[in-house]
Amino acid sequence: MPKGRQVADIINLLPDNIANQIAAGEVIQRPASAVKELLENAVDAGATEIQLFIKDAGKELVQVIDNGSGMSDTDARMCFERHATSKIQTIDDLFHIRTMGFRGEALASIAAVAQVELKSRKHNEELGTFIEIDNSVVKKQEPCQTAPGTSIAMKNLFFNVPARRNFLKSNAAEMRHIVDEFIRVALAFPHLQFSLNSNGQEMFHLEKGSLKQRIVNILGQNYNSKLVTVKESTDYMNVSGFVGKPDTAKKTRGDQFFFVNNRFIKSGYLNHAVMSAFSEMIPSENFPLYVLFIDLDPAHVDINVHPTKQEIKFDDEKILYAFVQAAVKHALAQFNVTPALDFELDPGIQSLDALTQPFTDQKKVQSANTSIYRSFTQANQAHMIDHSGTSNSNLRNWKDLYGPVEKPLEMEAPSSTASVIDERWQEAATDQKVPVQVHQQYILSQIKSGYILIDQRAAHERILYERYQRALSEKPITTQQSLFPQTLELLPADAVVISEMLPELQALGYDLEPFGMHTFVVRGTPADIQTGNEQASIEGLLEQFKHFSHELKLNRREHLVRSMARNNAIPVGKPLGTREMQNIIDELFACATPNASPGGRFTFISFKLNDLERMFDRGA
C-alpha cells in the first residue's frame, strides 16, 4: 500500500428495515410461522376465544382475533419494536419461562415482511387503538372502536421480498403447514376455544373441553374408544396425556405430539422412548398415536435454542427418556392393552378323571410301563413315538410330514372351454417351469442358468410405479365408474392434501369432486381397484402420501406415484394363481428398472446352478 494513502471505512450499521428483514428470515419463514406466533401471543394475552382467518393460504391474509387482555396505546406501538417484550425483565427470567413467547421478535419480524393492521382495546377502556404498519414503518395510529382484546391482520406476506415469496409452495402445501401449527396450539390448550376459517369456509370449530375431547375433535371420532390415558408424577417431572391403542398405529408420524410445559417440541430422542414402549405391539415401520405433555421446572429446560422454539435442550435427557418410556409402558399394561394369554380351562377338561381322582402308587407303576412314558423319559427318544410300537417306523414315512403339494387349479387338464389359456403358460406348464409361490410372499421361477426368487410385493410395487408414471406423462388410466357414488368425509388437514392432488388423482383414474366442508364425492376409481373399496383405497393412499412426505424430499408427483404403488401393491400373505404369478414375472421384466422397488428394495434374487453345485458340494 502506498505510503500516506487513506483507506475508507467499510463497516456500516445496516438500516433498520434491512436488519429487520434479515431477522425476520429466521422467525417468519412462511405463513404458518406467523400463524404460530400470533396464536401463541393470543394465548399469552389470556384469551379464552381465539379466531384464525386465512385467505389465499396466508399469502393474502393471516388474521388472529382474541378476547384477551388487550393493549394500551403505548404497548400497541411498542410491541412492533425489535426485542420488545413483556415476558422477561432480567437474564434469570430466561430460565423460568412459562409463557409461549419471550424473545420480542415475532411482531417486529411480521411487520418487516408484510403490511400489518392492529386493533386492540383493554377491557376497562372505552376506546381502543388502531395501528397500520407497512415495511416496518408506522403509517397511522389513531383511536378506534373495537371489541375488547386484540385483532391483528398480516396482509400480503413478503410483498417487499419477492424472492422469498417466490419460494413459497402451492396454496394447498402452505395450508397444510398452517393447519399443522393451528392443531399444535389447539391441542396444547384444550380449555380455550379455537376456530379456523379459510377463504370464508370454517375448517375447525373447537369448543372448550377436556384434552380427550380436543383430540377426538381434531383427529376424528374413531379415536374416541381407542385412547389410553398416560399419567405419572414425580418430584422431578410429570407426564400426562394419551397414547393410541396399537391398532391405531399408522405408517406416518403425523399423529405424534410432544409438549413440554405446554409448548410443542420436536424430539427424535423422546419419540424413540415412546416407540420402544410399543416395540413388541406394532410393526417396526408403523408409528403410534400419542399426545403427551411433560411438565417440569423451566430451570431444567433451555428453550432459547432456535427462534421457532420447537427445538429445546434438557439438562438430563436420560431421565426424561426413561420416565417417558416407563409411563407409556405402564399405561398400556394398566389398561390391558399389552398381549395376554387366556388360561381359562374348558369345564369338560376340568371334570376328567385325571384331574379329579388321586394319582396312586399303583397308577404310577402302570404309567411307567407304557411305551409313551418310556419314549418321553429315555434320552433322545421323544421323536420316535408312533402308534405301531416300532421305534423307527415313522422314519420310513418322513416325507409325509410335509404332505403333497396341491396342484394349482390352473394346472388341471384343460377342458374344451379353456382354449383361451395363454400360449406362454401352456408352454411353461409342459416344460415343468410353472412358477411356485413360497409362503405366500415369494415367487420361485426357473431360468436357464438356475432360478430366481421374486418378492411379490416389491415386484408389484415396481410394476405399478412405472404404470402410474406413464399415466401422468402419457396416457391416463381408465376410470371405473361406481354404480353408487360415495361421499367421503375427511379430516380438514387430509381434505387439504386431497385438494392439492386432484389433477394428478384424476390422471391416475380417480373421479373425485369437492363437496364442501372437507367432503368429496367419489364417482369412480382406477380400473384395477375393486369396486366397493373406494373409501379404503383413498384413505390408504392418504396414509402412504403423508408417510412419504415426511420421510423423503421428493416432489409432489413422485410422492403420489410412490404412494399409489405401495398402497395398491399385492400384500404379503395373498395366495396367487399360476397365471397371476406369470403376469407379475412378465410385467416385472418389461419394466425399465426391474431389479428394485421404487423405495430401493430388491425385487428378485437370482441363484445360478454353479452356486447351487458349490453349496451341495457337487464338485467333490
Side-chain angles (χ1 to χ4, degrees):
M1 180 183 300
K3 187 177 179 180
R5 182 174 177 179
Q6 299 295 320
V7 178
D9 297 332
I10 60 174
I11 297 178
N12 301 300
L13 283 174
L14 287 172
D16 285 345
N17 64 322
I18 296 178
N20 287 340
Q21 285 187 16
I22 292 172
E26 290 185 319
V27 181
I28 308 300
Q29 300 168 358
R30 59 188 348 137
S33 308
V35 166
K36 172 183 179 295
E37 299 294 345
L38 295 179
L39 289 177
E40 289 181 348
N41 279 353
V43 171
D44 286 342
T48 58
E49 297 178 7
I50 301 172
Q51 303 172 71
L52 171 62
F53 295 88
I54 301 293
K55 286 185 181 178
D56 194 24
K59 299 171 187 175
E60 181 181 338
L61 173 71
V62 172
Q63 182 177 17
V64 172
I65 301 174
D66 68 65
N67 65 346
S69 60
M71 290 183 281
S72 66
D73 295 351
T74 303
D75 286 346
R77 179 69 175 260
M78 280 292 296
C79 72
F80 291 101
E81 299 294 330
R82 287 187 65 195
H83 310 304
T85 179
S86 62
K87 315 298 171 55
I88 58 175
Q89 304 293 330
T90 68
I91 191 65
D92 290 337
D93 293 339
L94 271 177
F95 305 101
H96 301 88
I97 292 171
R98 286 281 183 182
T99 55
M100 294 296 100
F102 61 89
R103 295 168 63 101
E105 291 184 317
L107 293 181
S109 297
I110 290 172
V113 292
Q115 297 164 327
V116 179
E117 291 182 1
L118 177 140
K119 293 180 181 180
S120 188
R121 174 165 80 86
K122 296 178 74 67
H123 287 251
N124 60 351
E125 296 182 356
E126 294 184 1
L127 288 177
T129 186
F130 170 78
I131 294 180
E132 181 182 326
I133 297 179
D134 191 334
N135 196 14
S136 296
V137 177
V138 177
K139 299 292 186 180
K140 183 187 296 185
Q141 180 171 3
E142 60 188 20
C144 72
Q145 289 281 354
T146 186
T150 299
S151 167
I152 182 165
M154 180 191 78
K155 301 179 179 180
N156 302 319
L157 179 63
F158 299 138
F159 79 99
N160 53 350
V161 195
R164 291 292 299 277
R165 191 175 180 91
N166 291 338
F167 274 100
L168 293 177
K169 305 296 183 184
S170 67
N171 278 9
E174 294 299 338
M175 196 63 207
R176 285 211 320 273
H177 289 288
I178 289 172
V179 169
D180 286 344
E181 294 294 353
F182 175 84
I183 286 174
R184 291 164 182 171
V185 178
L187 281 174
F189 301 95
H191 59 284
L192 308 182
Q193 178 180 307
F194 288 89
S195 65
L196 169 55
N197 185 294
S198 175
N199 295 329
Q201 183 179 24
E202 189 171 64
M203 296 182 68
F204 288 94
H205 185 86
L206 305 173
E207 294 290 346
K208 307 170 186 176
S210 67
L211 175 60
K212 183 175 182 179
Q213 290 171 328
R214 180 60 52 90
I215 293 171
V216 169
N217 288 337
I218 289 176
L219 301 183
Q221 289 294 328
N222 57 314
Y223 285 113
N224 195 30
S225 60
K226 297 186 176 181
L227 296 175
V228 176
T229 303
V230 178
K231 191 170 183 64
E232 299 287 345
S233 300
T234 67
D235 292 338
Y236 181 77
M237 61 179 287
N238 303 323
V239 175
S240 62
F242 294 89
V243 295
K245 293 180 179 179
D247 61 344
T248 65
K250 299 179 180 179
K251 294 185 183 296
T252 174
R253 300 175 189 264
D255 297 339
Q256 299 185 310
F257 302 89
F258 258 121
F259 299 89
V260 173
N261 295 342
N262 279 357
R263 185 188 306 281
F264 173 80
I265 67 160
K266 296 178 180 178
S267 172
Y269 188 68
L270 292 181
N271 174 72
H272 189 273
V274 178
M275 293 294 293
S276 63
F278 276 89
S279 61
E280 297 180 1
M281 303 179 204
I282 61 175
S284 58
E285 69 274 11
N286 285 12
F287 300 95
L289 157 72
Y290 61 77
V291 182
L292 294 175
F293 290 77
I294 297 173
D295 186 59
L296 75 167
D297 188 334
H300 299 301
V301 184
D302 182 4
I303 59 177
N304 193 28
V305 176
H306 190 274
T308 64
K309 299 184 285 289
Q310 291 182 358
E311 299 174 19
I312 65 178
K313 291 184 177 180
F314 304 97
D315 59 2
D316 194 333
E317 282 190 324
K318 292 182 179 179
I319 290 180
L320 266 75
Y321 183 99
F323 194 72
V324 167
Q325 182 190 47
V328 174
K329 277 190 172 183
H330 183 235
L332 293 172
Q334 186 178 0
F335 286 85
N336 298 319
V337 175
T338 50
L341 295 176
D342 187 358
F343 288 104
E344 290 186 9
L345 288 176
D346 188 326
I349 294 175
Q350 292 178 321
S351 64
L352 292 176
D353 291 345
L355 296 179
T356 59
Q357 296 182 10
F359 192 45
T360 64
D361 292 339
Q362 182 181 358
K363 288 182 179 179
K364 289 180 184 178
V365 172
Q366 291 173 350
S367 297
N369 291 327
T370 63
S371 60
I372 253 186
Y373 179 88
R374 289 196 302 271
S375 297
F376 273 104
T377 55
Q378 294 172 15
N380 303 319
Q381 294 297 305
H383 68 288
M384 308 295 285
I385 298 173
D386 69 283
H387 297 289
S388 63
T390 56
S391 63
N392 62 353
S393 63
N394 63 334
L395 290 178
R396 294 193 299 270
N397 302 309
W398 65 270
K399 293 181 181 178
D400 293 341
L401 293 174
Y402 299 91
V405 177
E406 291 187 10
K407 185 183 296 183
L409 291 176
E410 293 88 344
M411 286 296 292
E412 294 175 1
S415 64
S416 59
T417 59
S419 58
V420 294
I421 295 178
D422 185 89
E423 266 183 38
R424 182 185 298 163
W425 176 84
Q426 289 182 346
E427 182 182 350
T430 305
D431 292 342
Q432 301 285 317
K433 294 180 182 178
V434 175
V436 176
Q437 191 178 27
V438 180
H439 291 294
Q440 297 182 345
Q441 298 185 58
Y442 305 100
I443 299 171
L444 186 66
S445 180
Q446 182 175 325
I447 57 176
K448 289 183 179 179
S449 60
Y451 67 91
I452 57 173
L453 191 62
I454 298 172
D455 182 324
Q456 67 186 42
R457 179 167 176 78
H460 199 217
E461 264 192 65
R462 165 53 61 180
I463 294 165
L464 293 177
Y465 172 79
E466 296 200 7
R467 184 184 302 170
Y468 297 147
Q469 287 281 25
R470 289 193 299 272
L472 290 178
S473 58
E474 300 170 13
K475 185 179 179 182
I477 289 176
T478 304
T479 299
Q480 177 178 241
Q481 295 297 325
S482 303
L483 187 59
F484 300 104
Q486 292 190 9
T487 301
L488 182 65
E489 187 172 351
L490 300 172
L491 294 174
D494 289 344
V496 172
V497 174
I498 289 291
S499 299
E500 180 183 8
M501 300 188 298
L502 273 179
E504 289 87 356
L505 286 172
Q506 289 164 358
L508 292 168
Y510 284 98
D511 185 355
L512 285 172
E513 289 183 12
F515 200 56
M517 285 300 293
H518 333 309
T519 305
F520 295 82
V521 175
V522 186
R523 303 188 186 279
T525 54
D528 57 353
I529 292 179
Q530 185 178 359
T531 55
N533 203 30
E534 293 86 349
Q535 181 163 346
S537 170
I538 293 173
E539 288 176 347
L541 172 61
L542 270 169
E543 273 310 301
Q544 293 294 347
F545 185 84
K546 290 187 288 186
H547 166 67
F548 279 122
S549 296
H550 181 86
E551 296 294 334
L552 301 171
K553 303 299 182 185
L554 304 171
N555 62 53
R556 189 180 72 211
R557 283 197 166 198
E558 182 69 10
H559 282 315
L560 179 57
V561 171
R562 290 194 182 198
S563 302
M564 283 274 292
R566 179 171 289 189
N567 188 54
N568 296 332
I570 293 171
V572 169
K574 180 180 179 180
L576 301 176
T578 304
R579 201 176 310 176
E580 290 176 298
M581 290 188 282
Q582 191 62 55
N583 285 341
I584 287 178
I585 295 170
D586 293 344
E587 290 188 54
L588 176 63
F589 289 100
C591 289
T593 312
N595 60 318
S597 73
R601 289 169 47 219
F602 287 122
T603 55
F604 68 89
I605 300 175
S606 61
F607 297 84
K608 295 185 178 180
L609 285 174
N610 294 340
D611 298 331
L612 295 174
E613 289 172 354
R614 281 196 299 270
M615 290 169 62
F616 286 101
D617 203 19
R618 292 282 295 274

